[in-house]
Amino acid sequence: MLAFIIIGVLVFSLTFLGKSYKIKLQEKYQKPWSKVLNYIRWIALATAFAGAMYTPGAQMLLISGWLLVFSLLIYVASLFMIYYKNKKVI
């Protein structure tokens, strides 16, 4: 399914942009930031792979692809929470 491939590649590439925000966080939140970014990268790759492997008869792969997209949303939301609640005050 083309949507999974597009979402996976887009989110995977955006994680490299998110890496630059790590220096703006307090010291103790930089490690969780990196860990969540790695999780997002792996889930984005799995989403793109699910999209590449999809065939019209594979209903279970479609369901698992949407679950991967939902988990991407949860992890991205956790990144926003980490950043906005714990950024350094300049």
Side-chain angles (χ1 to χ4, degrees), residues 5-88:
I5 296 172
I6 292 171
I7 291 170
V9 170
L10 181 68
V11 171
F12 184 80
S13 60
L14 286 177
T15 58
F16 293 104
L17 262 169
K19 196 172 188 179
S20 63
Y21 288 98
K22 179 181 173 182
I23 58 172
K24 297 180 181 180
L25 292 173
Q26 297 172 10
E27 187 70 32
K28 67 180 181 178
Y29 295 108
Q30 289 181 0
K31 188 175 179 181
W33 180 268
S34 296
K35 187 184 288 189
V36 171
L37 274 179
N38 284 333
Y39 289 160
I40 290 174
R41 282 187 190 133
W42 283 109
I43 294 172
L45 284 175
T47 305
F49 185 70
M53 298 299 294
Y54 179 74
T55 57
Q59 191 67 18
M60 193 63 130
L61 192 59
L62 181 67
I63 293 169
S64 64
W66 285 115
L67 288 174
L68 285 169
V69 170
F70 180 69
S71 66
L72 277 174
L73 291 174
I74 291 173
Y75 275 116
V76 169
S78 71
L79 272 183
F80 285 126
M81 289 173 56
I82 289 172
Y83 180 73
Y84 285 114
K85 290 188 177 223
N86 303 303
K87 62 183 175 180
K88 292 179 186 174

